[in-house]
Amino acid sequence: MDIARTPDMADAAPEPHDPVTIRREDYQPFGWLVPEVALDFDLGLETTRVTARLTLARNAKAPRAEAIRLNGDELEPVSVKRDGEVVNDWHRDGADLIVPLSGDAHALEIVTEVAPAKNTKLMGLYASSGMLCTQCEAEGFRRITFFPDRPDVLSTYRVRMSGDKATFPVLLSNGNPEASGEGDNGTHWAEWHDPWPKPSYLFALVAGDLVANSSSFTTMSGREVALNIYVREGDLPRTGHAMDSLKASMRWDEETFGREYDLDVFNIVAVSDFNMGAMENKGLNVFNTKYVLADPETATDADFDAVAGVIAHEYFHNWSGNRVTCRDWFQLSLKEGFTVLRDQLFSQYMGSDAVKRIEDVRVLRAAQFPEDSGPLAHPIRPDSYREISNFYTATVYNKGAEVIRMMRTMAGEEAFRKGSDLYFDRHDGEAATCEDFVRAMEDGAGLDLKQFRLWYSQAGTPKVRAQLTHEGNTATLHLSQIVPPTPGQPEKQPMPIPLKVALFDRASGERGEEHLLVLDKEEASFAFAGFAALPALSINRGFSAPVSIEREVAREELVFLAAHDDDPFARYEAMQDLIVGHLVDAIEGRLDEAQRAAGRADIAGALGAVLRDAALDDLMRGELLVLPGEGYLAEQQTVADPGKIHAERRALRAYLGAQLASDFTALYERAAKVPFALDAEASGARKIKTQALVYLAASDPARAAELAAQQYDMADNMTDRQGALMVLAGLDSPERTHKLLDFYNRYQGNALVIDKWFALQAGSLHPNVLEHVRALAKHPDFTLSNPNRVRSLYMAMAVNPQAFHAADGAGYAMIADLILALDPINPQTAARFVPPLGRWRRIEPLRAEQMRAQLERIAAAGNLSRDTQEQVARSLG
Ligand code: ARG
Ligand code: ZN
């Protein structure tokens, strides 16, 4: 409690009322329906004039309102007409426009003007290298016209665009094209109509000089859909993979979820200035070029996979997001969690099931676990926010996907499909809630999700303690769970945690039956009969629950599982646990020389077996070779010393590189002989080839530099070339300078590849990386106005532990400087750099103080955006 307050003090001090915090429990339906919207755009890069005509009808489900609130952001009304008459009885409330309405139905016509070329926030209508495009999710539409900019207001849109034909030969909007023609003075126009009611965040417009890769798709009911991927002229040859991925996504969604496309055209446009990955606007997806353009010469295998994944993600939103949308932004995971799960399943189906699952877990652990254990922790369905852009997080997306995946695991595939069918049928055309989804899963899939709903309301990664005991013929698994406290949630209830478990007889290597256990109490024990001796425990197989498992386990058991587990994820996990256990012990100073030697030797033994196992495919081998990341290692400690973590991990890699030098060399030589192809075999070979180089670089830098330079020169694809350059970028070799220069000259003019050039240097193991970043920030190709470029330099640095956590605090200062410089230009992107600094409470005291001081410095600056202000306040709070 704080100091006692006298009654007068209480009277004098108004209730602490915070007008900018939006709360989930305050949801109210909107007073008006807006069944139809007609938008007329007079397009110009400098000025675009927007005439919006809305039909309005009272919403019988909301309290009667005598006015309508139309949201605006940096807008001024040029004119307002009500029922055909110019009116002046409107007023402003902050940025919003309030128009009195006394009847039951009205028509409004509002004219606004916007300046796309000056819109550096890249929200609303903006210019990107000579073209016009839009980004409206979450609250960008209010930067185009005054409108009830909330996802529960659904309207059909008719859009007319007119503009200079030479500047904007292509005019696109949502839905189907209906008419077009020529105007005066070299102008032309086009009209589009979208028959499906949608919220304003799904509106899109594109106007520019674009060319299309065009194709078509026949849906399951035999309808022909025209497909177009629009890009800048020179990029056309790099659109084939995106087109193939789109068609595969459309087919897969029909076969797996029974979802058919519902318009005559599906358009994708690639733009080079984009805050996020891509956007699912109805019938007109707008993409960051990074997730459209790919060919072997300029894109890596990982880039190819990312393109397929994002194309699928946005396409799948047509049902999980567009046909069924969100009631309010607290429900964001309703569409994002579900759609991420859908894109993950698609990618599992298209490529290696096991490898994709491992990658997804790695992403979750690297991005979401730290979020869940830090000051920004929030449930997948948050309770409050100030700026919704800050909640497009790994928690809402990736943990959201894991939560729905758990339902699928508990229900089984078939029942899950019944649940998703019911959800789509029941809520088609509606703005739904997470609760609606859960109820459809209960009714359709036959699950009881009463307690499971806690996964939507409680933040924090549950910790599960597991202990296996043995007596007579029975093995008993003792499980207990703790859900750690998170901001605003000091106490937690136990959650249902579905764990796939199997026991292995250690003598024979044989596995018993796989069980799905649901731990739904604080503690529970499960008995397994038929084991003459203590078996080996394989738990959370397939990562059936997004939890961390804590158990004391002998190294021999992990070595056994790393070699024998038939569940690929569990096998990977055993390998990770073996290494994590050793490194954490070493970092925390618990090992004497003999213990350290024994631990290392076990790891080398297990890794050597992986290198030599002829039954493994190379993609999977590549996963087993990845050392646990420094962030994940830091997560294992209450308070981490990034310097020690980096040094121990690096030393282990050098040891393994030296110890297994001949195996790595043999592997390298075998892989180097595999000719280029886009299939799993060849891409697996490329993956392990560069991994072998990484290990060799740690133990024998001179030899690795030679091999890397050779790989660079001989490369006939970007995966090999980038891999080689990545290794060289971390070494102090003359080849480093030569190849970096060559790479720049070779790809100058290809922005996505030049992004790689920046990122390789900012992410490198080179000791002078901060100096390099400082110099690169002054490079003529660097600009704060392009988010991809900003991320390629500064996000690569912020996730490079040895750079970001430089002992003198220079990395922290550099990120804080960036945030302050970027915030006035692009607040959404600036705010994304705050979370790395927000980790300070879990870092050793000297660095923690430096990190906190940088946050204080940002907080003290005036005029911060709401985005950055919220993230900094939560990080300090
Ligand atoms: N809905 C988009 C997606 O597919 C993301 C859009 C986010 N936009 C934003 N300004 N935060 O995930
Ligand atoms: Zn999405």
PDB file of all heavy atoms in Angstrom, residues 739-770:
ATOM      1  N   LYS A 739      36.021 -10.431 -50.875  1.00  0.00           N
ATOM      2  CA  LYS A 739      34.729 -11.027 -51.220  1.00  0.00           C
ATOM      3  C   LYS A 739      33.574 -10.096 -50.880  1.00  0.00           C
ATOM      4  O   LYS A 739      32.568 -10.066 -51.594  1.00  0.00           O
ATOM      5  CB  LYS A 739      34.545 -12.386 -50.526  1.00  0.00           C
ATOM      6  CG  LYS A 739      35.597 -13.429 -50.861  1.00  0.00           C
ATOM      7  CD  LYS A 739      35.806 -13.623 -52.359  1.00  0.00           C
ATOM      8  CE  LYS A 739      36.863 -14.696 -52.627  1.00  0.00           C
ATOM      9  NZ  LYS A 739      37.527 -14.515 -53.940  1.00  0.00           N
ATOM     10  N   LEU A 740      33.712  -9.338 -49.787  1.00  0.00           N
ATOM     11  CA  LEU A 740      32.646  -8.377 -49.484  1.00  0.00           C
ATOM     12  C   LEU A 740      32.514  -7.344 -50.601  1.00  0.00           C
ATOM     13  O   LEU A 740      31.414  -6.980 -51.014  1.00  0.00           O
ATOM     14  CB  LEU A 740      32.906  -7.675 -48.142  1.00  0.00           C
ATOM     15  CG  LEU A 740      32.485  -8.464 -46.898  1.00  0.00           C
ATOM     16  CD1 LEU A 740      33.021  -7.795 -45.627  1.00  0.00           C
ATOM     17  CD2 LEU A 740      30.963  -8.610 -46.812  1.00  0.00           C
ATOM     18  N   LEU A 741      33.655  -6.903 -51.109  1.00  0.00           N
ATOM     19  CA  LEU A 741      33.639  -5.929 -52.192  1.00  0.00           C
ATOM     20  C   LEU A 741      33.038  -6.541 -53.463  1.00  0.00           C
ATOM     21  O   LEU A 741      32.215  -5.946 -54.145  1.00  0.00           O
ATOM     22  CB  LEU A 741      35.069  -5.437 -52.448  1.00  0.00           C
ATOM     23  CG  LEU A 741      35.202  -4.274 -53.419  1.00  0.00           C
ATOM     24  CD1 LEU A 741      34.459  -3.051 -52.879  1.00  0.00           C
ATOM     25  CD2 LEU A 741      36.682  -3.942 -53.655  1.00  0.00           C
ATOM     26  N   ASP A 742      33.474  -7.764 -53.734  1.00  0.00           N
ATOM     27  CA  ASP A 742      32.958  -8.451 -54.923  1.00  0.00           C
ATOM     28  C   ASP A 742      31.445  -8.599 -54.839  1.00  0.00           C
ATOM     29  O   ASP A 742      30.718  -8.369 -55.805  1.00  0.00           O
ATOM     30  CB  ASP A 742      33.614  -9.829 -55.057  1.00  0.00           C
ATOM     31  CG  ASP A 742      33.029 -10.606 -56.227  1.00  0.00           C
ATOM     32  OD1 ASP A 742      33.530 -10.431 -57.359  1.00  0.00           O
ATOM     33  OD2 ASP A 742      32.045 -11.359 -56.025  1.00  0.00           O
ATOM     34  N   PHE A 743      30.976  -8.987 -53.661  1.00  0.00           N
ATOM     35  CA  PHE A 743      29.536  -9.221 -53.472  1.00  0.00           C
ATOM     36  C   PHE A 743      28.771  -7.928 -53.719  1.00  0.00           C
ATOM     37  O   PHE A 743      27.758  -7.906 -54.416  1.00  0.00           O
ATOM     38  CB  PHE A 743      29.293  -9.726 -52.043  1.00  0.00           C
ATOM     39  CG  PHE A 743      27.905 -10.257 -51.784  1.00  0.00           C
ATOM     40  CD1 PHE A 743      27.613 -11.597 -51.999  1.00  0.00           C
ATOM     41  CD2 PHE A 743      26.897  -9.436 -51.294  1.00  0.00           C
ATOM     42  CE1 PHE A 743      26.341 -12.115 -51.733  1.00  0.00           C
ATOM     43  CE2 PHE A 743      25.626  -9.932 -51.027  1.00  0.00           C
ATOM     44  CZ  PHE A 743      25.347 -11.273 -51.245  1.00  0.00           C
ATOM     45  N   TYR A 744      29.285  -6.857 -53.143  1.00  0.00           N
ATOM     46  CA  TYR A 744      28.612  -5.565 -53.326  1.00  0.00           C
ATOM     47  C   TYR A 744      28.541  -5.193 -54.806  1.00  0.00           C
ATOM     48  O   TYR A 744      27.484  -4.840 -55.324  1.00  0.00           O
ATOM     49  CB  TYR A 744      29.325  -4.471 -52.521  1.00  0.00           C
ATOM     50  CG  TYR A 744      28.636  -3.132 -52.706  1.00  0.00           C
ATOM     51  CD1 TYR A 744      27.489  -2.822 -51.997  1.00  0.00           C
ATOM     52  CD2 TYR A 744      29.117  -2.216 -53.641  1.00  0.00           C
ATOM     53  CE1 TYR A 744      26.827  -1.626 -52.188  1.00  0.00           C
ATOM     54  CE2 TYR A 744      28.456  -1.006 -53.846  1.00  0.00           C
ATOM     55  CZ  TYR A 744      27.318  -0.721 -53.118  1.00  0.00           C
ATOM     56  OH  TYR A 744      26.660   0.462 -53.322  1.00  0.00           O
ATOM     57  N   ASN A 745      29.666  -5.305 -55.486  1.00  0.00           N
ATOM     58  CA  ASN A 745      29.695  -4.913 -56.907  1.00  0.00           C
ATOM     59  C   ASN A 745      28.807  -5.797 -57.767  1.00  0.00           C
ATOM     60  O   ASN A 745      28.131  -5.336 -58.674  1.00  0.00           O
ATOM     61  CB  ASN A 745      31.131  -4.956 -57.440  1.00  0.00           C
ATOM     62  CG  ASN A 745      31.977  -3.847 -56.840  1.00  0.00           C
ATOM     63  OD1 ASN A 745      31.443  -2.794 -56.478  1.00  0.00           O
ATOM     64  ND2 ASN A 745      33.277  -4.093 -56.695  1.00  0.00           N
ATOM     65  N   ARG A 746      28.817  -7.058 -57.435  1.00  0.00           N
ATOM     66  CA  ARG A 746      28.042  -8.021 -58.207  1.00  0.00           C
ATOM     67  C   ARG A 746      26.536  -7.763 -58.113  1.00  0.00           C
ATOM     68  O   ARG A 746      25.810  -7.950 -59.077  1.00  0.00           O
ATOM     69  CB  ARG A 746      28.359  -9.403 -57.639  1.00  0.00           C
ATOM     70  CG  ARG A 746      28.089 -10.578 -58.520  1.00  0.00           C
ATOM     71  CD  ARG A 746      28.346 -11.846 -57.706  1.00  0.00           C
ATOM     72  NE  ARG A 746      29.745 -12.251 -57.752  1.00  0.00           N
ATOM     73  CZ  ARG A 746      30.182 -13.243 -58.557  1.00  0.00           C
ATOM     74  NH1 ARG A 746      29.345 -13.867 -59.352  1.00  0.00           N
ATOM     75  NH2 ARG A 746      31.450 -13.563 -58.542  1.00  0.00           N
ATOM     76  N   TYR A 747      26.076  -7.368 -56.936  1.00  0.00           N
ATOM     77  CA  TYR A 747      24.623  -7.267 -56.710  1.00  0.00           C
ATOM     78  C   TYR A 747      24.126  -5.845 -56.495  1.00  0.00           C
ATOM     79  O   TYR A 747      22.981  -5.638 -56.098  1.00  0.00           O
ATOM     80  CB  TYR A 747      24.214  -8.145 -55.522  1.00  0.00           C
ATOM     81  CG  TYR A 747      24.528  -9.594 -55.743  1.00  0.00           C
ATOM     82  CD1 TYR A 747      25.562 -10.218 -55.046  1.00  0.00           C
ATOM     83  CD2 TYR A 747      23.816 -10.348 -56.690  1.00  0.00           C
ATOM     84  CE1 TYR A 747      25.860 -11.562 -55.254  1.00  0.00           C
ATOM     85  CE2 TYR A 747      24.114 -11.687 -56.906  1.00  0.00           C
ATOM     86  CZ  TYR A 747      25.138 -12.280 -56.185  1.00  0.00           C
ATOM     87  OH  TYR A 747      25.427 -13.598 -56.405  1.00  0.00           O
ATOM     88  N   GLN A 748      24.999  -4.887 -56.740  1.00  0.00           N
ATOM     89  CA  GLN A 748      24.598  -3.492 -56.604  1.00  0.00           C
ATOM     90  C   GLN A 748      23.337  -3.275 -57.436  1.00  0.00           C
ATOM     91  O   GLN A 748      23.256  -3.705 -58.570  1.00  0.00           O
ATOM     92  CB  GLN A 748      25.727  -2.609 -57.140  1.00  0.00           C
ATOM     93  CG  GLN A 748      25.671  -1.206 -56.647  1.00  0.00           C
ATOM     94  CD  GLN A 748      26.873  -0.412 -57.146  1.00  0.00           C
ATOM     95  OE1 GLN A 748      27.732  -0.951 -57.846  1.00  0.00           O
ATOM     96  NE2 GLN A 748      26.926   0.844 -56.776  1.00  0.00           N
ATOM     97  N   GLY A 749      22.361  -2.630 -56.885  1.00  0.00           N
ATOM     98  CA  GLY A 749      21.130  -2.430 -57.643  1.00  0.00           C
ATOM     99  C   GLY A 749      20.058  -3.440 -57.293  1.00  0.00           C
ATOM    100  O   GLY A 749      18.886  -3.227 -57.578  1.00  0.00           O
ATOM    101  N   ASN A 750      20.413  -4.552 -56.654  1.00  0.00           N
ATOM    102  CA  ASN A 750      19.393  -5.492 -56.185  1.00  0.00           C
ATOM    103  C   ASN A 750      19.232  -5.293 -54.678  1.00  0.00           C
ATOM    104  O   ASN A 750      20.005  -5.809 -53.869  1.00  0.00           O
ATOM    105  CB  ASN A 750      19.792  -6.931 -56.514  1.00  0.00           C
ATOM    106  CG  ASN A 750      18.699  -7.919 -56.111  1.00  0.00           C
ATOM    107  OD1 ASN A 750      18.017  -7.731 -55.094  1.00  0.00           O
ATOM    108  ND2 ASN A 750      18.530  -8.952 -56.906  1.00  0.00           N
ATOM    109  N   ALA A 751      18.211  -4.526 -54.307  1.00  0.00           N
ATOM    110  CA  ALA A 751      18.079  -4.092 -52.914  1.00  0.00           C
ATOM    111  C   ALA A 751      18.054  -5.269 -51.937  1.00  0.00           C
ATOM    112  O   ALA A 751      18.656  -5.208 -50.862  1.00  0.00           O
ATOM    113  CB  ALA A 751      16.821  -3.239 -52.749  1.00  0.00           C
ATOM    114  N   LEU A 752      17.349  -6.350 -52.306  1.00  0.00           N
ATOM    115  CA  LEU A 752      17.238  -7.465 -51.360  1.00  0.00           C
ATOM    116  C   LEU A 752      18.584  -8.122 -51.111  1.00  0.00           C
ATOM    117  O   LEU A 752      18.862  -8.587 -50.001  1.00  0.00           O
ATOM    118  CB  LEU A 752      16.228  -8.497 -51.874  1.00  0.00           C
ATOM    119  CG  LEU A 752      14.771  -8.036 -51.924  1.00  0.00           C
ATOM    120  CD1 LEU A 752      13.899  -9.118 -52.552  1.00  0.00           C
ATOM    121  CD2 LEU A 752      14.258  -7.681 -50.530  1.00  0.00           C
ATOM    122  N   VAL A 753      19.424  -8.174 -52.132  1.00  0.00           N
ATOM    123  CA  VAL A 753      20.738  -8.790 -51.942  1.00  0.00           C
ATOM    124  C   VAL A 753      21.668  -7.826 -51.203  1.00  0.00           C
ATOM    125  O   VAL A 753      22.470  -8.253 -50.354  1.00  0.00           O
ATOM    126  CB  VAL A 753      21.340  -9.268 -53.280  1.00  0.00           C
ATOM    127  CG1 VAL A 753      22.631 -10.033 -53.034  1.00  0.00           C
ATOM    128  CG2 VAL A 753      20.354 -10.150 -54.019  1.00  0.00           C
ATOM    129  N   ILE A 754      21.545  -6.536 -51.487  1.00  0.00           N
ATOM    130  CA  ILE A 754      22.353  -5.565 -50.739  1.00  0.00           C
ATOM    131  C   ILE A 754      21.941  -5.580 -49.258  1.00  0.00           C
ATOM    132  O   ILE A 754      22.777  -5.406 -48.369  1.00  0.00           O
ATOM    133  CB  ILE A 754      22.266  -4.161 -51.384  1.00  0.00           C
ATOM    134  CG1 ILE A 754      22.891  -4.196 -52.787  1.00  0.00           C
ATOM    135  CG2 ILE A 754      22.964  -3.109 -50.520  1.00  0.00           C
ATOM    136  CD1 ILE A 754      24.351  -4.657 -52.854  1.00  0.00           C
ATOM    137  N   ASP A 755      20.666  -5.847 -48.970  1.00  0.00           N
ATOM    138  CA  ASP A 755      20.263  -6.054 -47.567  1.00  0.00           C
ATOM    139  C   ASP A 755      21.090  -7.173 -46.921  1.00  0.00           C
ATOM    140  O   ASP A 755      21.489  -7.075 -45.764  1.00  0.00           O
ATOM    141  CB  ASP A 755      18.773  -6.434 -47.478  1.00  0.00           C
ATOM    142  CG  ASP A 755      17.835  -5.262 -47.752  1.00  0.00           C
ATOM    143  OD1 ASP A 755      18.275  -4.101 -47.635  1.00  0.00           O
ATOM    144  OD2 ASP A 755      16.656  -5.518 -48.079  1.00  0.00           O
ATOM    145  N   LYS A 756      21.301  -8.236 -47.664  1.00  0.00           N
ATOM    146  CA  LYS A 756      22.098  -9.342 -47.128  1.00  0.00           C
ATOM    147  C   LYS A 756      23.524  -8.888 -46.831  1.00  0.00           C
ATOM    148  O   LYS A 756      24.132  -9.287 -45.838  1.00  0.00           O
ATOM    149  CB  LYS A 756      22.149 -10.516 -48.123  1.00  0.00           C
ATOM    150  CG  LYS A 756      20.825 -11.181 -48.407  1.00  0.00           C
ATOM    151  CD  LYS A 756      21.037 -12.313 -49.422  1.00  0.00           C
ATOM    152  CE  LYS A 756      19.723 -12.903 -49.880  1.00  0.00           C
ATOM    153  NZ  LYS A 756      18.940 -13.505 -48.781  1.00  0.00           N
ATOM    154  N   TRP A 757      24.033  -8.062 -47.713  1.00  0.00           N
ATOM    155  CA  TRP A 757      25.403  -7.551 -47.567  1.00  0.00           C
ATOM    156  C   TRP A 757      25.529  -6.752 -46.256  1.00  0.00           C
ATOM    157  O   TRP A 757      26.490  -6.915 -45.509  1.00  0.00           O
ATOM    158  CB  TRP A 757      25.728  -6.679 -48.781  1.00  0.00           C
ATOM    159  CG  TRP A 757      27.107  -6.126 -48.840  1.00  0.00           C
ATOM    160  CD1 TRP A 757      28.248  -6.792 -49.201  1.00  0.00           C
ATOM    161  CD2 TRP A 757      27.491  -4.782 -48.558  1.00  0.00           C
ATOM    162  NE1 TRP A 757      29.323  -5.937 -49.167  1.00  0.00           N
ATOM    163  CE2 TRP A 757      28.893  -4.700 -48.772  1.00  0.00           C
ATOM    164  CE3 TRP A 757      26.809  -3.632 -48.160  1.00  0.00           C
ATOM    165  CZ2 TRP A 757      29.614  -3.516 -48.592  1.00  0.00           C
ATOM    166  CZ3 TRP A 757      27.518  -2.453 -47.978  1.00  0.00           C
ATOM    167  CH2 TRP A 757      28.901  -2.401 -48.191  1.00  0.00           C
ATOM    168  N   PHE A 758      24.542  -5.931 -45.977  1.00  0.00           N
ATOM    169  CA  PHE A 758      24.540  -5.204 -44.709  1.00  0.00           C
ATOM    170  C   PHE A 758      24.404  -6.179 -43.531  1.00  0.00           C
ATOM    171  O   PHE A 758      25.139  -6.097 -42.542  1.00  0.00           O
ATOM    172  CB  PHE A 758      23.379  -4.192 -44.672  1.00  0.00           C
ATOM    173  CG  PHE A 758      23.671  -2.894 -45.386  1.00  0.00           C
ATOM    174  CD1 PHE A 758      23.284  -2.691 -46.701  1.00  0.00           C
ATOM    175  CD2 PHE A 758      24.335  -1.865 -44.732  1.00  0.00           C
ATOM    176  CE1 PHE A 758      23.549  -1.479 -47.357  1.00  0.00           C
ATOM    177  CE2 PHE A 758      24.607  -0.654 -45.375  1.00  0.00           C
ATOM    178  CZ  PHE A 758      24.208  -0.464 -46.687  1.00  0.00           C
ATOM    179  N   ALA A 759      23.449  -7.102 -43.654  1.00  0.00           N
ATOM    180  CA  ALA A 759      23.147  -7.996 -42.530  1.00  0.00           C
ATOM    181  C   ALA A 759      24.312  -8.928 -42.191  1.00  0.00           C
ATOM    182  O   ALA A 759      24.584  -9.205 -41.019  1.00  0.00           O
ATOM    183  CB  ALA A 759      21.891  -8.810 -42.836  1.00  0.00           C
ATOM    184  N   LEU A 760      25.016  -9.394 -43.216  1.00  0.00           N
ATOM    185  CA  LEU A 760      26.141 -10.302 -42.966  1.00  0.00           C
ATOM    186  C   LEU A 760      27.213  -9.620 -42.122  1.00  0.00           C
ATOM    187  O   LEU A 760      27.820 -10.244 -41.248  1.00  0.00           O
ATOM    188  CB  LEU A 760      26.773 -10.722 -44.298  1.00  0.00           C
ATOM    189  CG  LEU A 760      26.021 -11.777 -45.091  1.00  0.00           C
ATOM    190  CD1 LEU A 760      26.693 -11.974 -46.442  1.00  0.00           C
ATOM    191  CD2 LEU A 760      26.000 -13.079 -44.315  1.00  0.00           C
ATOM    192  N   GLN A 761      27.430  -8.362 -42.396  1.00  0.00           N
ATOM    193  CA  GLN A 761      28.478  -7.649 -41.659  1.00  0.00           C
ATOM    194  C   GLN A 761      28.011  -7.291 -40.249  1.00  0.00           C
ATOM    195  O   GLN A 761      28.764  -7.390 -39.288  1.00  0.00           O
ATOM    196  CB  GLN A 761      28.884  -6.394 -42.434  1.00  0.00           C
ATOM    197  CG  GLN A 761      29.472  -6.756 -43.800  1.00  0.00           C
ATOM    198  CD  GLN A 761      29.799  -5.530 -44.634  1.00  0.00           C
ATOM    199  OE1 GLN A 761      30.756  -4.814 -44.346  1.00  0.00           O
ATOM    200  NE2 GLN A 761      29.006  -5.298 -45.650  1.00  0.00           N
ATOM    201  N   ALA A 762      26.744  -6.898 -40.133  1.00  0.00           N
ATOM    202  CA  ALA A 762      26.232  -6.520 -38.814  1.00  0.00           C
ATOM    203  C   ALA A 762      26.014  -7.740 -37.924  1.00  0.00           C
ATOM    204  O   ALA A 762      26.005  -7.619 -36.696  1.00  0.00           O
ATOM    205  CB  ALA A 762      24.925  -5.746 -38.966  1.00  0.00           C
ATOM    206  N   GLY A 763      25.849  -8.896 -38.542  1.00  0.00           N
ATOM    207  CA  GLY A 763      25.605 -10.103 -37.759  1.00  0.00           C
ATOM    208  C   GLY A 763      26.849 -10.948 -37.560  1.00  0.00           C
ATOM    209  O   GLY A 763      26.767 -12.057 -37.033  1.00  0.00           O
ATOM    210  N   SER A 764      28.004 -10.444 -37.956  1.00  0.00           N
ATOM    211  CA  SER A 764      29.186 -11.299 -38.023  1.00  0.00           C
ATOM    212  C   SER A 764      29.837 -11.522 -36.666  1.00  0.00           C
ATOM    213  O   SER A 764      29.543 -10.855 -35.683  1.00  0.00           O
ATOM    214  CB  SER A 764      30.224 -10.684 -38.973  1.00  0.00           C
ATOM    215  OG  SER A 764      31.078  -9.808 -38.249  1.00  0.00           O
ATOM    216  N   LEU A 765      30.731 -12.487 -36.652  1.00  0.00           N
ATOM    217  CA  LEU A 765      31.493 -12.808 -35.446  1.00  0.00           C
ATOM    218  C   LEU A 765      32.751 -11.960 -35.341  1.00  0.00           C
ATOM    219  O   LEU A 765      33.565 -12.134 -34.430  1.00  0.00           O
ATOM    220  CB  LEU A 765      31.885 -14.293 -35.468  1.00  0.00           C
ATOM    221  CG  LEU A 765      30.746 -15.275 -35.205  1.00  0.00           C
ATOM    222  CD1 LEU A 765      31.211 -16.700 -35.465  1.00  0.00           C
ATOM    223  CD2 LEU A 765      30.245 -15.142 -33.772  1.00  0.00           C
ATOM    224  N   HIS A 766      32.931 -11.054 -36.280  1.00  0.00           N
ATOM    225  CA  HIS A 766      34.140 -10.237 -36.286  1.00  0.00           C
ATOM    226  C   HIS A 766      34.196  -9.365 -35.033  1.00  0.00           C
ATOM    227  O   HIS A 766      33.193  -8.768 -34.641  1.00  0.00           O
ATOM    228  CB  HIS A 766      34.163  -9.357 -37.543  1.00  0.00           C
ATOM    229  CG  HIS A 766      35.522  -8.809 -37.840  1.00  0.00           C
ATOM    230  ND1 HIS A 766      36.059  -7.773 -37.126  1.00  0.00           N
ATOM    231  CD2 HIS A 766      36.448  -9.174 -38.761  1.00  0.00           C
ATOM    232  CE1 HIS A 766      37.275  -7.520 -37.598  1.00  0.00           C
ATOM    233  NE2 HIS A 766      37.535  -8.355 -38.598  1.00  0.00           N
ATOM    234  N   PRO A 767      35.373  -9.263 -34.409  1.00  0.00           N
ATOM    235  CA  PRO A 767      35.447  -8.485 -33.167  1.00  0.00           C
ATOM    236  C   PRO A 767      35.132  -6.991 -33.359  1.00  0.00           C
ATOM    237  O   PRO A 767      34.711  -6.342 -32.404  1.00  0.00           O
ATOM    238  CB  PRO A 767      36.900  -8.681 -32.698  1.00  0.00           C
ATOM    239  CG  PRO A 767      37.634  -9.276 -33.855  1.00  0.00           C
ATOM    240  CD  PRO A 767      36.632  -9.977 -34.701  1.00  0.00           C
ATOM    241  N   ASN A 768      35.327  -6.475 -34.562  1.00  0.00           N
ATOM    242  CA  ASN A 768      35.082  -5.035 -34.756  1.00  0.00           C
ATOM    243  C   ASN A 768      33.707  -4.729 -35.336  1.00  0.00           C
ATOM    244  O   ASN A 768      33.521  -3.715 -36.019  1.00  0.00           O
ATOM    245  CB  ASN A 768      36.137  -4.435 -35.686  1.00  0.00           C
ATOM    246  CG  ASN A 768      37.534  -4.623 -35.130  1.00  0.00           C
ATOM    247  OD1 ASN A 768      37.688  -4.880 -33.928  1.00  0.00           O
ATOM    248  ND2 ASN A 768      38.525  -4.532 -35.989  1.00  0.00           N
ATOM    249  N   VAL A 769      32.760  -5.604 -35.072  1.00  0.00           N
ATOM    250  CA  VAL A 769      31.481  -5.469 -35.773  1.00  0.00           C
ATOM    251  C   VAL A 769      30.810  -4.114 -35.523  1.00  0.00           C
ATOM    252  O   VAL A 769      30.220  -3.532 -36.433  1.00  0.00           O
ATOM    253  CB  VAL A 769      30.565  -6.677 -35.462  1.00  0.00           C
ATOM    254  CG1 VAL A 769      30.332  -6.830 -33.993  1.00  0.00           C
ATOM    255  CG2 VAL A 769      29.257  -6.596 -36.202  1.00  0.00           C
ATOM    256  N   LEU A 770      30.930  -3.574 -34.317  1.00  0.00           N
ATOM    257  CA  LEU A 770      30.266  -2.280 -34.067  1.00  0.00           C
ATOM    258  C   LEU A 770      30.872  -1.156 -34.901  1.00  0.00           C
ATOM    259  O   LEU A 770      30.158  -0.281 -35.392  1.00  0.00           O
ATOM    260  CB  LEU A 770      30.302  -1.937 -32.577  1.00  0.00           C
ATOM    261  CG  LEU A 770      29.366  -2.777 -31.705  1.00  0.00           C
ATOM    262  CD1 LEU A 770      29.495  -2.372 -30.237  1.00  0.00           C
ATOM    263  CD2 LEU A 770      27.920  -2.667 -32.158  1.00  0.00           C
TER     264      LEU A 770
END
